[in-house]
Amino acid sequence: MRQRHASQDARRAREFEAFVAGAAGRLLHAATLLTAEAPDDNPRARRLLTLALAHTYACWDGLHGEDPYDRTRQYLATRFAHGAWHQYGGLAGARPHPASPLAGLAPQERLVLVLRLYEGVAEEQAAALLGLPTERVHMICDRATATLLHPPRGPAPAVGGAKMAPS
């Protein structure tokens, strides 16, 4: 009996290790986009991914044919959303790194954009995952895309050295 449990535990560990080897890079990139950190300096993204992978490992035996990548991505997204929208957990509370391609977006915009465009999640699925109406997800995605394609202009440069003529 004990040998059978040890064998099952070893198989479970091998399956999970294979999953992590194949999925961790993409999931870390998604988490880095969400947290708007620099790709080479992303402690919040790494923590977010670690929590998501730990959750997936804890649920591994109960997946019953469910895609572990989808489960991990869902947890990653909902954990980020909770931290971003409620400002708890430090996942989104820090300022975006200027090197992040999504630094100019609000956390909710980053989340919707990453789910829709980077991860390819359907609008209806993203809406269900986030508890938002489909139309709202569509609008957020459109606004975020427009912001990325046409970033807001900075303030006009100050005109220096100009002197007013005496009146």
Side-chain angles (χ1 to χ4, degrees):
M1 182 79 151
R2 198 179 285 185
Q3 187 177 14
R4 187 175 77 188
H5 285 297
S7 175
Q8 288 174 340
D9 289 345
R11 179 187 49 77
R12 176 183 191 213
R14 282 191 309 274
E15 288 174 353
F16 185 74
E17 286 173 15
F19 163 69
V20 170
R26 182 176 175 97
L27 287 165
L28 179 59
H29 186 70
T32 302
L33 289 171
L34 289 174
T35 59
E37 294 174 291
D40 57 345
D41 184 21
N42 54 1
R44 292 187 326 273
R46 290 178 182 278
R47 177 165 165 66
L48 185 60
L49 177 59
T50 300
L51 292 169
L53 289 172
H55 180 265
T56 301
Y57 185 73
C59 300
W60 193 260
D61 290 335
L63 290 176
H64 303 295
E66 185 181 345
D67 184 359
Y69 187 89
D70 285 343
R71 174 69 72 94
T72 307
R73 179 180 57 216
Q74 286 175 359
Y75 188 83
L76 188 95
T78 54
R79 183 75 187 214
F80 175 79
H82 180 75
W85 294 339
H86 298 101
Q87 297 299 315
Y88 299 128
L91 294 173
R95 291 182 180 218
H97 191 279
S100 169
L102 305 184
L105 301 178
Q108 187 180 45
E109 292 173 325
R110 288 195 308 263
L111 179 56
V112 169
L113 198 73
V114 168
L115 286 174
R116 293 282 296 121
L117 301 183
Y118 180 73
E119 287 293 320
V121 175
E123 209 167 70
E124 296 79 14
Q125 289 176 305
L129 176 64
L130 301 175
L132 297 171
T134 304
E135 298 79 23
R136 177 90 174 124
V137 168
H138 181 83
M139 191 264 318
I140 292 168
C141 189
D142 282 352
R143 184 179 60 218
T145 303
T147 301
L148 286 179
L149 293 175
H150 308 286
R153 291 182 166 188
V159 179
K163 294 185 181 181
M164 298 287 291
S167 357

